[in-house]
Amino acid sequence: MAQEQELDDQIALTAEKIRAGKTSLGIEFGSTRIKAVLIDDTYSTIAAGDYGWASHLEDGLWSYSKEEIWKGLQTAYAAMAQNVETAYGEKLTRIGHIGFSAMMHGYLAFDKDGEMLVPFRTWQNTNTSEAHKKLSELFQYNIPERWSIAHLYQAVLNKEEHVGKVAYFTTLAGYVHWKLTGKKVLGVGDASGMFPIDPTTHTYETEFIEKFNALPEVAAQPWKLSDLLPEPLVAGTP
């Protein structure tokens, strides 16, 4: 009996936290699942939902479709919200904080109107070996094949038709943040998988950006790299 009362009290307390928005929602876009997990102010899990997905080859490169990014997000969120209502009898109408993370690296490129120029290129692609070697030599700093800058530079080297139209490029986490908040930002950890970060300033390595812009094939483009990158934000920044 005492145990039942304790459980009822715990459910009532959690329901009150849900109503008051004393919650945080984390959504993770993993390689095989999109997960939505709601926790309370003591970091205890309240509810969770997920959506299974898999990358596919598109034009010879590994990708996830734009449509499935949003379908997966909505499905995982809906499952989590239903879980809340079933377990605590509360409709989820307020959330204290929301954070997104996703597979690092990769390449999502957009034109000045915000239209995606090519299908999302994931971290799984290894078509960027030439860019990896040239940039690693240029910076004297290892630039892995999966990094976003390697994807952009490889597209430049390949003279891809879309390159001159790029006005913004980011990772999957940056894309979701942008579409939901209107802000072109990225957590500094994720940003470090796009381009090298200066540990003192917590932003991109200025010297490397200048070296990149000075490459003849890059200098011929209508853009400068610093205008294309999301703003890196340190942990705890809204």
Side-chain angles (χ1 to χ4, degrees):
M1 199 67 176
Q3 280 183 325
E4 285 180 13
Q5 185 59 50
E6 189 177 332
L7 182 60
D8 287 345
D9 290 346
Q10 184 59 50
I11 289 171
L13 176 62
T14 301
E16 174 53 38
K17 289 180 180 182
I18 292 165
R19 282 193 296 275
K22 292 181 179 178
T23 52
S24 297
L25 173 64
I27 294 183
E28 157 69 10
F29 288 80
S31 300
T32 58
R33 279 195 308 155
I34 299 171
K35 302 174 284 290
V37 179
L38 189 71
I39 63 171
D40 68 12
D41 54 355
T42 65
Y43 314 112
S44 298
T45 299
I46 294 173
D50 67 5
Y51 174 82
W53 69 344
S55 57
H56 64 277
L57 282 171
E58 193 156 337
D59 298 329
L61 296 172
W62 292 106
S63 182
Y64 297 85
S65 72
K66 183 170 67 172
E67 293 72 26
E68 197 170 20
I69 291 169
W70 298 111
K71 178 186 175 185
L73 172 59
Q74 291 171 322
T75 302
Y77 181 90
M80 177 276 300
Q82 183 59 55
N83 192 321
V84 169
E85 190 168 355
T86 301
Y88 303 100
E90 290 291 328
K91 276 196 180 296
L92 191 60
T93 58
R94 292 179 65 191
I95 296 173
H97 306 89
I98 303 178
F100 290 90
S101 65
M103 298 167 278
M104 282 179 67
H105 323 298
Y107 179 74
L108 292 97
F110 304 88
D111 66 15
K112 60 182 174 53
D113 298 318
E115 295 300 319
M116 193 181 287
L117 291 165
V118 289
F120 168 32
R121 297 174 181 180
T122 79
W123 61 273
Q124 298 159 297
N125 290 297
T126 55
N127 62 309
T128 55
S129 57
E130 184 184 3
H132 145 69
K133 288 171 187 167
K134 288 187 172 179
L135 291 178
S136 298
E137 177 64 28
L138 177 69
F139 300 153
Q140 289 297 291
Y141 184 100
N142 184 43
I143 303 296
E145 294 178 355
R146 62 187 178 273
W147 279 26
S148 306
I149 191 61
H151 284 275
L152 175 65
Y153 187 44
Q154 192 64 53
V156 171
L157 292 171
N158 292 348
K159 297 182 170 62
E160 291 193 35
E161 186 271 335
H162 81 274
V163 167
K165 300 175 187 171
V166 177
Y168 179 54
F169 77 116
T170 188
T171 65
L172 180 55
Y175 170 60
V176 173
H177 271 102
W178 171 40
K179 287 300 175 183
L180 293 184
T181 68
K183 297 184 184 300
K184 294 177 177 178
V185 299
L186 200 58
V188 72
D190 273 354
S192 72
M194 288 195 71
F195 194 86
I197 295 287
D198 181 329
T200 306
T201 64
H202 304 130
T203 189
Y204 303 109
E205 285 276 6
T206 307
E207 181 189 347
F208 292 174
I209 285 181
E210 289 170 356
K211 285 184 175 181
F212 183 81
N213 284 334
L215 289 165
E217 58 273 30
V218 173
Q221 302 302 325
W223 42 256
K224 297 292 185 192
L225 179 60
S226 54
D227 296 329
L228 308 186
L229 288 159
E231 178 190 0
L233 299 176
V234 296
T237 309

